[in-house]
């Protein structure tokens, strides 16, 4: 959708008040209360973060809240805290000891629960396992696992001893895993032997073995045997999770850490071909995610909360692993595909566990919409009161349907906005307080100063598109790019000095709601998975058959957008279905199956500028409209478009 039609849509969006019932019980109960608190939180953001810090447990708490400013800042420098203590022990040693922390369901129907007390024991045991294998404070541990209680145990254990975890989505290929492991310099890798995905067994350990053929820093691999499946183990390097756990002591005191020590590392796609390691401070991440989870999801003790995010992406860390557990919530964790073995699987789990808060991806909501009321009506779904999502636009059609059909017209729908780099969601509703607008990303969170600016950094008027920026630091903002401080400075802070540049464009409407329009760089969003088109192009070019490649996105009803590639072939190759399949597979091998292009067009020429840069905007227009209506003056060869259209039609 072009900006003009988006602006019309925004102008026309109506405000929908949350129900009185919800208003009465939420942490912030009116728009006025939000506005007053928000203004105060900007006037004195230190006082706001101090009030959040008061709700957590510290080993030592100094007086300084913020030191420094954007590009080089610290929250609570010198203050000592431990994330795992706050997520686990704080509850296990108190009233929530026997409360369910994690209720897990495997794709095949296996189920397990862990109370806070049980979680504490398991975390302490695995922390001892890590120590016994030589992992120390500051070492990186890569984790290649699906959603399992054991994944939570491993990650919390890493945080407990002050090491740094790096989760890699267990859908990444061996190449992509190797690249991440090597860039991070991981000392250890923890994986599951296999996972279920749509009934198929995915041999994760096999992928790990392939990845580690050239990963010299990894000394040990710990394998959790999730499925009875042949799993080769390398003598001396590989250890069995259960065996190590059976011998480990369940006492392991958490290590007091400076709130700014790195806690986690997660790779994400940027404009260049190489993914970058986003570094988050452990204490800062805890502080912020606790506040987002509490206020934006309104988490409380009586909730049964289901977040479908995969642990390979940061959403799960923000709202479950760290933020959710820090709030002491009961969370449902699910291993597999939401529509397997039947399209009603998600609904079935909602009824079974009486879930009242559901966090999922817009793609999942669109998938459910496709199955329509007919499927939804087969289930009760009468406990749901809040739906939240992040990662990609939640289109008004899906929003309306979720509200009406799943939320029975009374639920709150919270379309939050955040990034791996922001480590949380600076934009969202506060359920119960802020009126909803289908499609908007809500309002700024306390202590966060967001703006929409022009290229010179000046605020633009309401209803005018511009760059979305954050004008001051906050505890979960990316602290560095692993091993590449220059890239940190140039990617996020060079466009508009003194501000964090999000890479998104946005509009602020006349009611102060923010609308995120999309990326202003070469990053695309497929089902909420963030993929760099440059990374896909680099993968294609590595193949002998490819001379040039350009990847663009095309709108898709369910996935939001899907990647489409344009390729010029080396002379000895002829365009064919087999070559198309081979090149799609190349991307799957280099990145993972979630990046598989929907289509590859073989072309003889590419539209280029006089300096030889491919003009992807024109390819996008060709795919979306079948021609190029816009300006063609930048083209090196004006006939190239007709040649291109000719070769695409000839396919
Ligand atoms: O373009 C924005 C889009 O997703 C990007 C961030 O992706 P990722 O780092 O994978 O973040 C995961 C969330 C912690 C953003 O730059 N995005 C995120 N939320 C929304 C969105 N686009 C539109 N609407 C949203 N609600």
């Amino acid at each position: 959708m072009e900006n003009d039609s988006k602006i019309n849509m925004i102008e026309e969006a109506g405000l929908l008040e949350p129900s009185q019932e919800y208003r009465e019980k939420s942490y912030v109960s009116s728009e006025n209360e939000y506005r007053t608190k928000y203004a105060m939180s900007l006037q004195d953001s230190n006082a706001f973060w101090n009030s959040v810090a008061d709700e957590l447990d510290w080993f030592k708490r100094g007086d300084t809240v913020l030191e420094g400013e954007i590009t080089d800042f610290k929250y609570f420098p010198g203050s000592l805290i431990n994330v795992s203590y706050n997520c686990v022990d704080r509850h296990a040693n108190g009233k929530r000891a026997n409360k369910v922390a994690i209720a897990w369901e495997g794709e095949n129907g296996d189920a397990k629960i862990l109370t806070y007390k049980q979680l504490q024991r398991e975390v302490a045991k695995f922390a001892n396992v890590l120590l016994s294998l030589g992992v120390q404070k500051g070492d990186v541990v890569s984790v290649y696992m699906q959603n399992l209680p054991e994944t939570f145990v491993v990650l919390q254990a890493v945080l407990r001893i002050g090491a740094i975890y790096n989760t890699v989505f267990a859908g990444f290929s061996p190449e992509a895993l190797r690249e991440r492991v090597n860039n991070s310099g991981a000392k250890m890798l923890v994986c599951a032997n296999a996972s279920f995905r749509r009934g198929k067994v995915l041999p994760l350990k096999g992928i790990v073995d392939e990845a580690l053929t050239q990963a010299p820093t990894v000394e040990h691999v710990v394998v959790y045997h999730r499925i009875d499946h042949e799993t080769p183990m390398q003598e001396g390097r590989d250890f069995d999770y259960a065996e190590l756990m059976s011998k480990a002591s369940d006492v392991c005191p958490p290590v007091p850490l400076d709130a700014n020590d790195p806690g986690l590392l997660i790779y994400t796609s940027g404009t260049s071909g190489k993914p970058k390691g986003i570094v988050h401070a452990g204490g800062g991440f805890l502080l912020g995610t606790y506040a987002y989870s509490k206020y934006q999801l309104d988490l409380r003790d009586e909730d049964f909360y289901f977040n479908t995010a995969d642990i390979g992406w940061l959403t799960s860390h923000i709202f479950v692993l760290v933020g959710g557990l820090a709030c002491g919530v009961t969370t449902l964790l699910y291993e597999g595909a939401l529509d397997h073995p039947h399209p009603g699987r998600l609904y079935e789990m909602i009824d079974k566990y009486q879930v009242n808060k559901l966090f999922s991806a817009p793609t999942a909501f669109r998938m459910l919409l496709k199955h329509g009321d007919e499927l939804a009506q087969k289930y009760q779904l009468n406990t749901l009161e809040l739906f939240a999502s992040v990662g990609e636009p939640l289109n008004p059609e899906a929003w309306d349907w979720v509200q009406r059909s799943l939320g029975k017209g009374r639920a709150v729908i919270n379309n939050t906005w955040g990034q791996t780099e922001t480590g949380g969601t600076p934009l969202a509703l506060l359920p119960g307080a802020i009126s909803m607008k289908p499609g908007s990303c809500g309002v700024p969170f306390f202590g966060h100063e967001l703006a929409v600016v022009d290229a010179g950094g000046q605020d633009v008027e309401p209803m005018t598109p511009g760059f979305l920026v954050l004008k001051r630091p906050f505890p979960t903002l990316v602290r560095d790019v692993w091993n590449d401080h220059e890239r940190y400075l140039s990617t996020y802070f060079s466009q508009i000095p003194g501000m964090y540049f999000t890479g998104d464009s946005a509009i602020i409407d006349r009611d102060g709601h923010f609308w995120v329009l999309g990326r202003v760089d070469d990053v695309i969003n497929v089902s909420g998975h963030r993929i760099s088109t440059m990374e896909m192009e680099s993968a294609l070019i590595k193949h002998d058959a490819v001379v040039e490649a350009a990847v663009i996105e095309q709108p898709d009803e369910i996935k939001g957008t899907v990647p489409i590639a344009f390729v010029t072939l080396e002379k000895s190759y002829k365009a064919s279905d087999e070559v198309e399949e081979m090149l799609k597979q190349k991307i799957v091998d280099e990145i993972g199956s979630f990046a598989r292009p929907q289509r590859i067009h073989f072309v003889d020429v590419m539209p280029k500028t006089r300096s030889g840069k491919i003009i992807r905007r024109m390819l996008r227009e060709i795919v979306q409209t079948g021609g190029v209506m816009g300006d063609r003056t930048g083209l090196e060869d004006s006939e190239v478009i007709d040649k291109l259209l000719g070769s695409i039609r000839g396919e």
Side-chain angles (χ1 to χ4, degrees):
M1 215 191 311
E2 285 309 313
N3 278 352
D4 283 354
S5 55
K6 278 191 185 160
I7 289 174
N8 283 341
M9 180 188 92
I10 296 170
E11 291 276 17
E12 282 162 19
L15 279 168
L16 227 112
E17 288 215 8
S19 66
Q20 187 59 26
E21 190 191 339
Y22 210 107
R23 197 160 280 240
E24 275 165 16
K25 65 176 180 180
S26 73
Y27 289 114
V28 179
S29 54
S30 71
E31 190 127 359
N32 274 345
E33 189 187 340
Y34 160 74
R35 297 268 167 224
T36 312
K37 282 196 168 153
Y38 178 66
M40 279 166 56
S41 79
L42 284 197
Q43 248 169 37
D44 187 355
S45 50
N46 285 356
F48 172 71
W49 291 118
N50 242 331
S51 72
V52 177
D54 285 345
E55 296 179 26
L56 298 171
D57 285 357
W58 298 76
F59 294 105
K60 178 183 145 204
R61 171 116 166 256
D63 292 333
T64 310
V65 178
L66 172 65
E67 184 183 279
E69 51 196 38
I70 246 163
T71 77
D72 188 11
F73 59 93
K74 286 184 170 152
Y75 278 89
F76 297 98
S79 292
L80 300 177
I81 195 162
N82 184 284
V83 180
S84 138
Y85 183 85
N86 277 278
C87 295
V88 182
D89 304 58
R90 203 157 66 97
H91 313 305
N93 297 343
K95 283 199 303 241
R96 298 188 180 112
N98 296 315
K99 180 178 173 177
V100 174
I102 300 166
W104 171 79
E105 199 160 308
E107 196 188 71
N108 61 342
D110 288 351
K112 206 185 254 187
I113 58 163
L114 277 183
T115 63
Y116 277 98
K117 194 88 203 152
Q118 290 170 318
L119 183 61
Q120 181 185 40
R121 265 190 35 217
E122 298 298 295
V123 170
K125 282 202 292 191
F126 199 74
N128 281 323
V129 166
L130 290 168
L131 293 171
S132 72
L133 291 173
V135 177
Q136 293 174 352
K137 180 181 168 200
D139 286 342
V140 175
V141 177
S142 287
V143 179
Y144 190 67
M145 298 170 85
Q146 70 273 37
N147 280 358
L148 299 170
E150 290 72 16
T151 318
F152 275 52
V153 168
V154 168
L155 296 174
Q156 286 290 347
V158 173
L159 292 166
R160 192 174 193 85
I161 63 163
I164 303 166
Y165 70 68
N166 164 37
T167 42
V168 180
F169 173 55
F172 272 115
S173 67
E175 290 289 331
L177 174 60
R178 179 187 304 139
E179 187 174 9
R180 284 156 179 77
V181 165
N182 281 337
N183 184 280
S184 71
K187 191 166 182 181
M188 182 195 269
L189 190 147
V190 187
C191 66
N193 71 332
S195 74
F196 283 116
R197 195 71 192 175
R198 287 185 198 291
K200 285 205 197 107
V201 172
L202 234 101
L204 299 184
K205 175 63 167 43
I207 295 173
V208 166
D209 285 341
E210 208 179 320
L212 294 190
T213 50
Q214 292 156 44
T217 58
V218 175
E219 293 169 10
H220 299 299
V221 177
V222 177
V223 185
Y224 172 70
H225 285 80
R226 156 73 181 111
I227 300 170
D228 193 8
H229 181 261
E230 200 190 317
T231 306
M233 299 286 278
Q234 193 175 306
E235 183 74 34
R237 185 195 72 176
D238 299 351
F239 296 88
D240 175 52
Y241 178 94
E243 204 179 311
L244 293 172
M245 289 291 269
S246 70
K247 293 185 225 138
S249 147
D250 60 7
V251 179
C252 183
V255 177
L257 299 162
D258 186 291
N260 301 282
D261 282 345
L264 56 132
L265 172 60
I266 185 156
Y267 285 81
T268 191
S269 297
T271 17
S272 89
K274 288 227 164 296
K276 43 187 186 271
I278 300 300
V279 181
H280 284 295
F285 192 76
L286 167 71
L287 198 73
T289 58
Y290 168 74
Y292 300 123
S293 302
K294 173 175 171 181
Y295 289 104
Q296 296 174 342
L297 303 184
D298 209 39
L299 289 186
R300 9 187 108 252
D301 267 325
E302 58 273 29
D303 286 342
F304 209 111
Y305 159 58
F306 184 10
N307 190 320
T308 67
D310 189 282
I311 194 68
W313 309 111
L314 199 67
T315 302
S316 175
H317 306 235
I318 299 168
F319 287 114
V320 195
L321 176 80
V322 179
L325 291 182
C327 289
V329 77
T330 294
T331 192
L332 175 60
L333 186 69
Y334 174 60
E335 176 187 38
L338 295 173
D339 55 354
H340 188 87
H342 59 84
R345 179 73 192 261
L346 175 72
Y347 294 151
E348 194 176 82
M349 288 189 283
I350 289 167
D351 278 356
K352 175 174 167 191
Y353 295 94
Q354 300 280 284
V355 169
N356 66 327
K357 290 182 179 161
L358 177 68
F359 197 121
S360 200
T363 295
F365 291 132
R366 286 191 288 269
M367 182 189 85
L368 295 171
L369 164 62
K370 207 170 162 211
H371 291 291
D373 291 340
E374 206 182 311
L375 180 68
Q377 278 159 5
K378 290 190 183 144
Y379 299 85
Q380 288 190 316
L381 306 179
N382 53 2
T383 45
L384 288 165
E385 53 180 1
L386 178 101
F387 296 81
S389 67
V390 73
E392 46 169 338
L394 181 62
N395 49 314
E397 193 197 0
W399 196 105
D400 281 334
W401 181 79
V402 171
Q403 218 271 346
R404 179 178 48 76
S405 191
L406 305 185
K408 320 275 193 231
R410 56 183 149 76
V412 171
I413 316 292
N414 199 356
N415 170 27
T416 72
W417 172 87
Q419 307 180 297
T420 306
E421 292 88 339
T422 58
T425 39
L427 288 173
L429 294 179
L430 300 187
I434 312 289
S435 297
M436 301 174 272
K437 277 196 179 190
S440 106
C441 295
V443 295
F445 190 63
F446 302 126
H448 293 59
E449 189 179 356
L450 289 108
V452 175
V453 300
D454 61 22
Q458 296 301 313
D459 286 16
V460 299
E461 293 292 314
M463 293 310 297
T464 312
F467 301 113
L468 180 64
V469 295
L470 283 127
K471 291 189 173 178
R472 61 172 86 182
F474 47 97
T476 60
L477 182 61
V478 50
R479 301 300 177 97
D480 209 350
V481 170
W482 190 254
N483 284 335
D484 201 347
H485 191 61
E486 272 311 303
R487 196 167 172 200
Y488 174 68
L489 298 177
S490 65
T491 311
Y492 303 116
F493 304 105
S494 67
Q495 290 83 352
I496 302 174
M499 300 182 197
Y500 165 76
F501 187 77
T502 63
D504 279 339
S505 65
I507 284 178
I508 306 178
D509 72 16
R510 291 180 225 288
D511 295 312
H513 276 241
F514 282 63
W515 299 72
V516 174
L517 304 174
R519 301 286 307 185
V520 295
D521 54 17
D522 296 328
V523 171
I524 62 171
N525 206 317
V526 180
S527 302
H529 294 165
R530 182 168 153 181
I531 308 170
S532 150
T533 52
M534 293 274 286
E535 214 175 319
M536 293 182 66
E537 290 166 9
S538 313
L540 286 168
I541 287 166
K542 276 195 200 161
H543 197 289
D544 290 347
V546 177
V547 178
E548 277 185 313
V551 174
I552 50 121
E553 77 279 22
Q554 180 184 314
D556 181 87
E557 212 186 319
I558 303 283
K559 296 180 171 178
T561 54
V562 288
I564 306 283
F566 284 78
V567 159
T568 54
L569 285 175
E570 209 274 326
K571 279 195 197 70
S572 56
Y573 287 86
K574 290 260 165 306
S576 67
D577 290 349
E578 291 72 40
V579 176
E580 181 169 356
E581 189 45 42
M582 187 173 76
L583 295 182
K584 284 180 176 172
Q585 191 53 41
K586 180 70 183 162
I587 289 187
V588 172
D589 293 345
E590 294 280 329
I591 304 173
S593 56
F594 61 92
R596 185 183 172 87
Q598 191 182 61
R599 189 72 219 270
I600 297 183
H601 293 294
F602 295 108
V603 293
D604 299 328
V605 278
M606 293 276 191
K608 287 187 186 160
T609 61
R610 286 184 189 89
S611 58
K613 266 184 82 168
I614 299 174
I615 311 177
R616 289 173 180 77
R617 168 177 63 80
M618 292 189 178
L619 294 174
R620 204 172 290 129
E621 217 183 317
I622 288 173
V623 163
Q624 292 177 11
T625 68
V628 174
M629 300 296 286
D631 184 15
R632 291 190 186 190
T633 48
L635 279 170
E636 167 208 29
D637 169 4
S638 58
E639 286 174 10
V640 89
I641 297 295
D642 296 327
K643 288 185 204 159
L644 250 173
L645 288 171
S647 54
I648 290 177
R649 286 191 194 116
E651 277 177 359

